[in-house]
């Protein structure tokens, strides 16, 4: 038969409705809090590199950030 595999996807949108982060895989609560904190801080300072934020918080699955 055909096997299916589900992969969790985390998508974070900013207040303007723009995609700030798209992450493929599981991100535990502690790391998620750290990622959201960094995204909030970077957004308020005007510069953001969400891919760097996730890679610094997790050495697991591949992430894609905008």
């Amino acid at each position: 038969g055909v096997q299916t595999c589900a992969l969790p996807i985390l998508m974070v949108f900013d207040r303007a409705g723009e995609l700030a982060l798209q992450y493929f895989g599981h991100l535990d609560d502690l790391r998620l809090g750290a990622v959201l904190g960094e995204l909030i801080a970077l957004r308020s300072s005007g510069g953001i590199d969400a891919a760097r934020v996730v890679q610094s918080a997790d050495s697991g699955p591949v992430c894609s950030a905008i």
Side-chain angles (χ1 to χ4, degrees), residues 10-13 19-23 35 39 50-51 54 63-66:
L10 171 69
M11 297 187 334
V12 177
F13 295 87
L19 184 62
L21 174 70
Q22 183 173 345
Y23 183 84
V35 168
L39 285 172
V54 172
C63 72
S64 173
I66 296 174

Side-chain angles (χ1 to χ4, degrees), residues 2-66:
V2 176
Q3 274 191 325
T4 59
C5 179
L7 177 67
I9 300 174
L10 171 69
M11 297 187 334
V12 177
F13 295 87
D14 63 16
R15 288 184 179 181
E18 295 184 30
L19 184 62
L21 174 70
Q22 183 173 345
Y23 183 84
F24 299 92
H26 175 75
L27 194 61
D28 67 52
D29 292 344
L30 186 60
R31 289 181 178 159
L32 176 59
V35 168
L36 293 176
E38 278 202 57
L39 285 172
I40 291 168
L42 290 172
R43 284 276 182 189
S44 64
S45 70
I48 185 166
D49 183 358
R52 181 191 58 77
V53 171
V54 172
Q55 288 170 356
S56 69
D58 181 43
S59 60
V62 175
C63 72
S64 173
I66 296 174

